[in-house]
Amino acid sequence: MKKDISVKTVVATAIGVALFVVVGRFGSIPTGIPNTEFSLAYPILGLIGVLFGPIAGGLTGLIGHALKDAVFYGSVWWSWVISSAILGILFGLIGKKLKVEQGKFSLKDIVLFNIFQVISNLIVWAVVAPVGDVLIYSEPANKVYTQGLVASLVNSVGIGIACTIIFAVYAKTRVQKGSLSKED
Amino acid sequence: MRKKVIEFVDFSFQYESQSEATLKNINLSIYEGEKILIVGASGSGKSTLVHCLNGLIPHLYKGKMTGSAKIGGKDLESQSLHELSFQTGTVLQDTDGQFIGLTVGEDIAFALENDEVSQEVMLPEVEKWAEKVEISTHLTHKPQELSGGQKQRVSMAGVLISESPILLFDEPLANLDPHAGKETIELIDELHKQTNTTVIIVEHRLEDVLHRNVDRIIVVNEGEIVSDTSPDELLKSETLMTYGIREPLYVTAMKYAEIDVKNVENLADLRYLKGKEIKQKLENWQGKHPNLVTKEASEELLSLERVNYRYQNSQKKVLNDISFQIQKGERISIVGKNGSGKSTLSKVICGFLQANGTFLWQKKEIREHSIKERAEKIGYVMQNPNQMISKTMIFDEVALGLKLRGVEEEEIKERVEKTLKVCGLYSFRNWPISALSYGQKKRVTIAAILVLEPEMIILDEPTAGQDFRNYSEMMNFLDELNAQGKTIVMITHDMHLMLEYSDRTFAMLDGEILADKLPSEVLTDEQLVKKANLKETSLFTLAKTFELEKPELFVQKFIAYDRVVRENE
Amino acid sequence: MNDTVQTLGYQKGESFLHRLNGTSKLLFFVLASAACMTTYDTRFLLFVGIASIFLFKISGIRWRQVSFVMKFIFVFSLLNLVAVFLFDPAYAEKIYESKTTVLGNGYFHLTLEELFYLFNLILKYCCTVPLAVLFLLTTNPSQFASSLNKIGVSYKISYAVSLALRYIPDVQEDFFNIILSQQARGYELSRKAGFIDRIKGYTGVLLPLIFSSLERIDSISTAMELRRFGKGKRRTWYTEQKFSSKDIAVIFIGLFLLLISICLFFVNKGRFYNPFV
Ligand SMILES: Nc1ncnc2c1ncn2[C@@H]1O[C@H](COP(=O)(O)OP(=O)(O)OP(=O)(O)O)[C@@H](O)[C@H]1O
Ligand SMILES: Nc1ncnc2c1ncn2[C@@H]1O[C@H](COP(=O)(O)OP(=O)(O)OP(=O)(O)O)[C@@H](O)[C@H]1O
Ligand SMILES: [Mg+2]
Ligand SMILES: [Mg+2]
């Protein structure tokens, strides 16, 4: 992250974090498994990553999750925070392949994005997060792996539906070059 | 020979998404130390021109440039945004995005922080500029705790603090109360005189800017410069009327009185106008025109009793025991100082905020009514358009309310198109909202409410940032609705709008209604004007300057006559 | 309807903790949390836990200001404890290499070791939660960015945090305003509407919120560039506060705590303090 960060990245991170916190607060539904929830915050992370790149995505995950934990739970669950950060970076990487920014989001892109996001979710929530839980917090392995699998599942579904819709609408609003003219 | 700081030769610019150039063949030279005013219809390209001066074009907004543009002697394109930012300071039109700091003090200090100025220098500097724009008692306030006008002052201080040689103000008065607007113009003038900065102001409120002298006025129309002369010359010509910009009212009045303005000296400065002949003609005109009759009140529509409101984290009550009644078919204007609680009052009426007190709609309590239920009766256009827009396309945004009310597709299309025409947006109907100018955006939000034709409409600053043509068309449409029995409430800082389009005025100060009178009575009450930060119109000043009998009558007659003239056009 | 959700945020005050420099508080918080995170030494946790509850007392923060959030945290922590037990009741036996059954046998059996392990988990909450809450309640957010910058985080990332704090209330207000203006256009989202209608209405809020936020990103970065953000390698801070001797002391105490927890690692030959062998 030594490379120079652009002002746009800074602002995208900040607004991304704000959205992550606000939506995470008002747009979450518990799954029944303790401390795992279905949250619309992750589609937001997807959006920031895909549109603004891996730095913005990673930072949004890191700061957003840490801040949300801190202000709502009073303690930061670092293993999951790091996982969110990695997920943000992964979204940033796939974003470079897609051209949503330029108004392109074809069926092929939808499939590509969704395969990628499901795999990313599995890596992050079913591997990285539980390993972190065991290493940092010494919690029982089967508990954290169950939580991780449930989290991968709900997040894949959530991101799959919400991000696909968001990108499709977003791509439509990106006006093509030279397309606007006054009509009578 | 003075130094040229800005030079455009045959310059054109086309936004990437547009099919036509937005700025066309601009030839413009501005010299060091000049003070320039840019006027033009909404969407004519003023902000675009400003963006070419501070480098946002071509560095952030992409598009095609032709011709040459030089800032400070160097080519626009060859300079980075940072280099340019040392030459130009910009107070942006949209103050929402400009307030970056967590508190007022931090925001004012922002540019200094980036220049790595030490704290010992920074603190007194911030203090000094906060004092200049009269916000120093609010240094630790958060932006959420400020009114629209207070935010605008912070934006100004944050830009002025860098002391750049060229200052750009994109509609600095849009949210200010009349008194604050006057002070701002004086402040800009003072800075200009003391420091030899080059000042460029974009503003619809021509008359207010002319409160202090400017060197030149540039008129922009559809992306072209159509006039570039001294204020005196411009006022004497027909240019302003041709391009749909309102000339200062006292000039119109003098024209009605058949005064040959071409021969009047210092026409642009009301303070220095004199002459026996003018007085004579004005008196003649006044004598010729009959007095007016006022409207009769009908049944009661909305009544508030002892309404109080306090924001969660503030100590002071923002609304303090407010009581009033509004009759059906009235046109009410609410005026008053920045931060006096006008917007809060309308939010309370619409149920956006829960206040205690009694709310009666046609004598029935509506306290328990949901926002949606209230909205079926009362339409509310918020002060800040960004907070209302929820769709990405213009047509969809305006159609949303009708769709939700289950109106049929065809009727929706018809009604939306009609409203878009009234609001001067018809030719943009298939555009995304993101490609609109600020004034155009505000009109979208007005259209979105007008299309619903509710029983009562509350408009928060409907004419801020609007040009005269759109302003009159919208207002005339509102009058049409009013003639059908709809009730109109406007919150405004435009004293003339108040005089011309309302029957009754509430003047607010610190959460209380100071006065509830006829608009002309409000403006002739000197103490009230002073207390509530209002301003007499130039018509009134004109009448007083020439010592006409009953100046308020002169104002009323002018308004009546002016309307007849314009209707016949 | 808004602001009904209580969150942990800065509360003005005059206590000793309020007057400390943000940077030293941040450092202390990071060091102490790291110390408590790595060790499971019961004696150490007990000491820090009691100390942080004591700090809470002298901070002048009233229980009422945080009660709601604290109850929320309590429930959340309890759920986690229950989960830890249910998923592996024999977990602590492996850690402490001993088994003293208290209740039952078969899969769900309770051992003294498990109870002790859970007690350690509770202690951990007692250490970190009050510290975090204290930090959030006594640190002026304006000082947060400059503190991060001072402890070595790049100023751009520090500023991103500050901007996020700046815009959370705005985004929240946007969120509610969009809900309000949707209602004003005809969505019924109040209690008078059915559940499904409300869900539908709320989903209609997310898209506009996203689009207005994207626009916001454009306009804010424009304004920041115009005022030369990101020009230099460094920047100064309006709100930066000078260090006092108290601040230095606080940082040293933090360092000391971390040092002890590392020493304990060697004393206990691992992360766990084991009274069972
Ligand atoms: N980012 C953009 N992309 C495409 N078109 C744009 C963009 N910004 C402005 N325009 C178009 O350029 C034209 C001029 O806009 P501009 O903002 O310069 O108007 P303005 O004179 O400042 O109007 P107002 O008084 O309402 O602020 C408008 O028709 C608008 O649609
Ligand atoms: N969300 C808020 N939280 C706390 N205080 C607020 C909030 N909104 C406004 N205020 C305060 O309430 C007062 C009234 O604000 P309001 O926006 O109603 O003023 P106004 O009369 O509309 O001013 P203007 O003409 O500048 O728009 C101001 O002093 C402002 O600082
Ligand atoms: Mg403009
Ligand atoms: Mg207001």
Side-chain angles (χ1 to χ4, degrees):
Chain A
M1 239 171 269
K2 272 273 161 288
K3 234 181 51 212
D4 206 30
I5 304 174
S6 76
V7 177
K8 189 92 166 220
T9 306
V10 171
V11 180
T13 303
I15 299 297
V17 170
L19 277 172
F20 191 93
V21 173
V22 171
V23 173
R25 186 68 196 90
F26 300 105
S28 299
I29 306 165
T31 54
I33 302 287
N35 309 328
T36 41
E37 50 189 18
F38 171 83
S39 169
L40 283 174
Y42 286 100
I44 300 278
L45 185 61
L47 174 86
I48 298 291
V50 168
L51 292 188
F52 299 97
I55 300 180
L59 286 172
T60 301
L62 181 78
I63 304 170
H65 197 148
L67 204 61
K68 184 184 125 211
D69 272 5
V71 298
F72 295 120
Y73 304 106
S75 60
V76 180
W77 204 257
W78 287 107
S79 43
W80 288 57
V81 169
I82 293 165
S83 308
S84 288
I86 295 175
L87 191 63
I89 296 175
L90 289 173
F91 279 128
L93 296 178
I94 186 72
K96 294 201 161 160
K97 275 255 172 308
L98 305 169
K99 292 202 177 74
V100 184
E101 191 53 69
Q102 287 151 38
K104 297 200 187 78
F105 196 57
S106 62
L107 194 64
K108 207 179 107 228
D109 296 328
I110 294 179
V111 174
L112 176 71
F113 170 76
N114 276 300
I115 291 175
F116 185 86
Q117 67 89 2
V118 171
I119 296 174
S120 307
N121 271 308
L122 273 173
I123 295 175
V124 167
W125 302 119
V127 182
V128 179
V131 167
D133 278 348
V134 172
L135 288 182
I136 302 178
Y137 296 99
S138 290
E139 292 211 336
N142 62 352
K143 174 209 167 210
V144 293
Y145 282 107
T146 311
Q147 283 182 328
L149 272 174
V150 174
S152 319
L153 192 78
V154 290
N155 282 331
S156 305
V157 174
I159 293 173
I161 297 173
C163 273
T164 307
I165 296 175
I166 294 170
F167 292 149
V169 177
Y170 178 79
K172 251 200 345 221
T173 63
R174 300 304 291 179
V175 256
Q176 300 299 316
K177 261 190 182 174
S179 63
L180 293 182
S181 55
K182 292 187 195 174
E183 306 162 60
D184 292 316
Chain B
M1 184 65 198
R2 281 188 300 174
K3 215 168 80 190
K4 259 186 203 171
V5 286
I6 291 166
E7 188 179 21
F8 283 69
V9 180
D10 290 333
F11 178 84
S12 299
F13 177 77
Q14 180 175 356
Y15 283 103
E16 208 165 52
S17 59
Q18 298 281 1
S19 63
E20 272 175 55
T22 298
L23 292 178
K24 298 164 210 149
N25 279 318
I26 302 285
N27 284 297
L28 173 67
S29 300
I30 295 175
Y31 297 89
E32 189 173 24
E34 267 194 307
K35 189 173 168 200
I36 308 275
L37 170 63
I38 301 179
V39 295
S42 168
S44 60
K46 302 179 301 295
S47 296
T48 309
L49 184 59
V50 167
H51 292 163
C52 293
L53 298 177
N54 58 25
L56 290 183
I57 291 173
H59 292 292
L60 281 180
Y61 297 105
K62 300 288 173 224
K64 201 171 79 198
M65 292 195 322
T66 55
S68 94
K70 286 200 173 94
I71 311 289
K74 280 204 281 183
D75 225 32
L76 177 64
E77 251 172 311
S78 70
Q79 307 182 63
S80 73
L81 250 183
H82 291 147
E83 281 174 69
L84 280 163
S85 74
F86 283 105
Q87 300 182 41
T88 54
T90 317
V91 180
L92 294 169
Q93 184 167 14
D94 198 339
T95 46
D96 255 1
Q98 184 144 7
F99 200 128
I100 295 157
L102 274 162
T103 59
V104 170
E106 280 166 85
D107 190 65
I108 298 178
F110 187 72
L112 296 187
E113 291 180 329
N114 296 331
D115 292 342
E116 296 173 47
V117 171
S118 73
Q119 250 189 1
E120 291 82 68
V121 183
M122 182 157 31
L123 294 177
E125 240 350 62
V126 168
E127 190 70 36
K128 175 180 126 193
W129 286 101
E131 226 146 81
K132 282 215 179 180
V133 300
E134 293 182 26
I135 197 85
S136 54
T137 48
H138 289 69
L139 277 182
T140 57
H141 280 55
K142 297 199 189 89
Q144 289 84 16
E145 301 163 357
L146 300 178
S147 76
Q150 289 166 328
K151 272 192 214 162
Q152 198 141 25
R153 286 163 203 243
V154 178
S155 306
M156 294 240 309
V159 169
L160 295 178
I161 202 165
S162 334
E163 308 195 27
S164 330
I166 304 174
L167 287 176
L168 305 171
F169 297 92
D170 199 350
E171 297 195 25
L173 308 182
N175 283 309
L176 296 181
D177 66 52
H179 181 74
K182 198 165 122 185
E183 283 183 339
T184 304
I185 289 298
E186 286 166 8
L187 173 68
I188 295 176
D189 191 54
E190 229 170 85
L191 286 172
H192 173 245
K193 284 199 180 114
Q194 286 166 2
T195 55
N196 198 34
T197 32
T198 311
V199 174
I200 298 167
I201 307 170
V202 174
E203 189 50 71
H204 287 289
R205 283 157 71 174
L206 174 65
E207 187 175 319
D208 290 331
V209 179
L210 288 181
H211 171 63
R212 283 284 185 274
N213 186 44
V214 299
D215 297 316
R216 276 193 286 156
I217 301 182
I218 290 162
V219 183
V220 183
N221 185 53
E222 307 215 329
E224 284 176 284
I225 292 184
V226 289
S227 156
D228 176 357
T229 61
S230 72
D232 268 348
E233 288 306 314
L234 182 67
L235 294 188
K236 285 174 190 174
S237 74
E238 295 295 318
T239 316
L240 288 175
M241 287 322 232
T242 321
Y243 296 107
I245 303 160
R246 177 163 249 187
E247 56 188 10
L249 290 168
Y250 69 92
V251 177
T252 316
M254 285 164 75
K255 285 183 182 165
Y256 287 160
E258 292 171 348
I259 294 163
D260 186 7
V261 291
K262 289 209 171 57
N263 296 325
V264 176
E265 263 175 68
N266 291 323
L267 183 61
D269 201 331
L270 185 52
R271 290 174 301 173
Y272 301 121
L273 280 184
K274 49 179 176 292
K276 267 224 178 67
E277 198 195 352
I278 299 179
K279 181 175 159 70
Q280 190 62 50
K281 286 200 164 155
L282 287 175
E283 271 171 356
N284 281 349
W285 184 82
Q286 189 175 13
K288 266 202 323 225
H289 290 269
N291 293 348
L292 301 164
V293 277
T294 43
K295 245 195 222 172
E296 280 299 308
S298 58
E299 63 199 283
E300 178 184 306
L301 187 68
L302 175 74
S303 132
L304 265 64
E305 274 162 46
R306 308 191 61 108
V307 169
N308 285 289
Y309 188 77
R310 181 207 308 271
Y311 283 100
Q312 242 188 11
N313 40 17
S314 71
Q315 299 89 27
K316 245 179 55 191
K317 274 201 233 166
V318 177
L319 297 180
N320 197 355
D321 254 350
I322 299 257
S323 308
F324 60 76
Q325 275 121 33
I326 294 177
Q327 323 292 336
K328 190 168 156 53
E330 268 192 309
R331 299 178 306 167
I332 308 275
S333 54
I334 305 179
V335 298
K337 194 171 173 170
N338 283 133
S340 55
K342 304 181 295 294
S343 302
T344 309
L345 177 61
S346 28
K347 285 184 188 164
V348 161
I349 293 178
C350 298
F352 285 22
L353 303 171
Q354 293 293 335
N356 31 16
T358 320
F359 296 79
L360 299 176
W361 177 265
Q362 292 175 333
K363 306 231 159 90
K364 280 192 209 78
E365 177 68 72
I366 53 165
R367 252 188 84 78
E368 295 307 315
H369 286 201
S370 69
I371 296 174
K372 178 188 169 231
E373 286 165 323
R374 294 197 199 191
E376 280 158 11
K377 312 175 183 93
I378 309 172
Y380 172 38
V381 182
M382 295 167 88
Q383 185 167 12
N384 183 345
N386 299 335
Q387 292 185 339
M388 283 188 67
I389 292 171
S390 61
K391 292 277 176 205
T392 52
M393 308 301 284
I394 294 173
F395 188 94
D396 299 343
E397 176 69 25
V398 179
L400 178 65
L402 292 177
K403 277 216 179 93
L404 288 172
R405 283 171 168 72
V407 178
E408 266 172 54
E409 208 60 38
E410 228 154 80
E411 193 189 335
I412 291 184
K413 190 156 186 279
E414 190 186 318
R415 276 169 74 176
V416 170
E417 286 184 352
K418 178 173 171 242
T419 316
L420 285 177
K421 274 182 197 150
V422 167
C423 295
L425 291 167
Y426 185 70
S427 44
F428 310 106
R429 61 193 176 280
N430 294 320
W431 289 25
I433 293 172
S434 60
L436 294 184
S437 80
Y438 191 76
Q440 288 168 331
K441 260 191 221 167
K442 176 96 193 184
R443 291 209 298 275
V444 171
T445 61
I446 295 177
I449 297 300
L450 287 188
V451 77
L452 301 175
E453 304 195 356
E455 199 57 28
M456 176 169 154
I457 306 176
I458 304 179
L459 301 122
D460 202 341
E461 303 287 353
T463 57
Q466 303 302 335
D467 61 72
F468 187 46
R469 188 170 291 151
N470 286 311
Y471 166 122
S472 335
E473 273 188 33
M474 278 187 312
M475 282 304 145
N476 289 340
F477 181 67
L478 282 174
D479 267 0
E480 255 173 58
L481 291 181
N482 181 245
Q484 294 164 22
K486 312 274 185 208
T487 311
I488 316 275
V489 177
M490 285 182 297
I491 296 172
T492 185
H493 291 309
D494 182 342
M495 296 295 105
H496 194 73
L497 183 73
M498 166 187 99
L499 277 174
E500 194 171 353
Y501 292 97
S502 76
D503 313 314
R504 217 171 114 205
T505 298
F506 299 157
M508 284 190 68
L509 179 71
D510 293 340
E512 289 178 43
I513 296 184
L514 273 189
D516 170 0
K517 302 188 190 177
L518 291 180
S520 52
E521 284 172 354
V522 168
L523 279 195
T524 44
D525 180 342
E526 267 175 48
Q527 252 182 334
L528 183 63
V529 164
K530 204 160 182 187
K531 246 171 132 180
N533 263 17
L534 309 177
K535 195 184 122 200
E536 55 182 39
T537 63
S538 63
L539 290 171
F540 192 68
T541 320
L542 180 76
K544 278 203 309 196
T545 313
F546 289 99
E547 293 168 344
L548 302 185
E549 249 175 80
K550 302 222 174 120
E552 60 274 19
L553 223 54
F554 178 78
V555 175
Q556 284 175 9
K557 284 180 178 177
F558 171 85
I559 289 166
Y561 181 73
D562 185 52
R563 171 159 311 167
V564 177
V565 173
R566 280 196 280 130
E567 266 161 21
N568 293 341
E569 255 169 21
Chain C
M1 70 184 294
N2 30 353
D3 292 314
T4 47
V5 185
Q6 206 185 1
T7 59
L8 297 172
Y10 176 60
Q11 311 267 345
K12 284 201 181 80
E14 279 302 314
S15 77
F16 156 72
L17 285 166
H18 282 90
R19 267 171 291 149
L20 278 179
N21 186 304
T23 313
S24 53
K25 261 186 290 190
L26 181 63
L27 265 175
F28 178 81
F29 171 63
V30 169
L31 292 168
S33 307
C36 295
M37 212 149 72
T38 47
T39 189
Y40 269 82
D41 187 294
T42 320
R43 298 157 297 182
F44 181 78
L45 292 175
L46 212 52
F47 169 72
V48 178
I50 291 171
S52 47
I53 291 170
F54 173 73
L55 273 181
F56 200 92
K57 270 235 112 52
I58 64 164
S59 69
I61 289 167
R62 261 166 266 127
W63 174 248
R64 168 173 71 74
Q65 293 170 305
V66 293
S67 60
F68 181 84
V69 182
M70 286 303 217
K71 279 176 201 153
F72 188 69
I73 294 170
F74 180 76
V75 172
F76 160 84
S77 317
L78 200 67
L79 276 176
N80 198 41
L81 284 188
V82 171
V84 166
F85 173 72
L86 289 184
F87 274 96
D88 195 351
Y91 185 57
E93 292 158 36
K94 286 166 240 158
I95 297 173
Y96 297 112
E97 291 167 334
S98 129
K99 179 172 176 179
T100 325
T101 311
V102 183
L103 210 75
N105 44 26
Y107 181 76
F108 287 111
H109 64 288
L110 190 62
T111 60
L112 208 55
E113 286 78 11
E114 184 73 19
L115 280 174
F116 186 66
Y117 169 70
L118 293 178
F119 174 63
N120 278 300
L121 285 186
I122 296 175
L123 275 183
K124 278 193 180 236
Y125 286 121
C126 293
C127 295
T128 49
V129 172
L131 284 183
V133 171
L134 275 181
F135 177 72
L136 288 167
L137 266 72
T138 62
T139 308
N140 188 336
S142 299
Q143 280 180 19
F144 195 64
S146 63
S147 303
L148 277 176
N149 188 213
K150 211 157 193 188
I151 64 172
V153 179
S154 101
Y155 80 80
K156 287 187 179 166
I157 296 178
S158 310
Y159 206 81
V161 178
S162 168
L163 263 185
L165 295 174
R166 151 77 178 87
Y167 280 103
I168 285 173
D170 277 20
V171 168
Q172 194 164 322
E173 196 184 319
D174 264 7
F175 183 80
F176 287 116
N177 269 322
I178 292 169
I179 292 178
L180 292 172
S181 70
Q182 301 274 40
Q183 282 174 273
R185 303 279 192 84
Y187 281 113
E188 181 66 272
L189 296 174
S190 70
R191 255 162 265 127
K192 291 182 182 172
F195 182 70
I196 298 290
D197 280 338
R198 271 165 76 186
I199 293 272
K200 255 210 248 142
Y202 276 105
T203 36
V205 173
L206 193 62
L207 276 177
L209 181 67
I210 286 172
F211 285 108
S212 73
S213 301
L214 289 177
E215 228 167 85
R216 192 164 246 165
I217 292 175
D218 277 336
S219 65
I220 297 168
S221 48
T222 314
M224 284 173 61
E225 297 235 22
L226 283 178
R227 284 153 81 191
R228 295 190 285 284
F229 181 83
K231 177 192 58 149
K233 292 225 176 320
R234 288 180 306 144
R235 82 195 291 272
T236 49
W237 304 88
Y238 175 73
T239 49
E240 195 174 312
Q241 209 182 351
K242 296 263 168 326
F243 272 101
S244 69
S245 51
K246 282 199 193 103
D247 293 307
I248 310 285
V250 164
I251 295 173
F252 271 103
I253 297 174
L255 276 173
F256 185 64
L257 283 178
L258 186 63
L259 203 71
I260 296 182
S261 85
I262 293 170
C263 291
L264 284 172
F265 195 79
F266 293 104
V267 173
N268 295 331
K269 301 203 178 56
R271 295 171 72 180
F272 295 89
Y273 163 67
N274 193 343
F276 297 99
V277 283

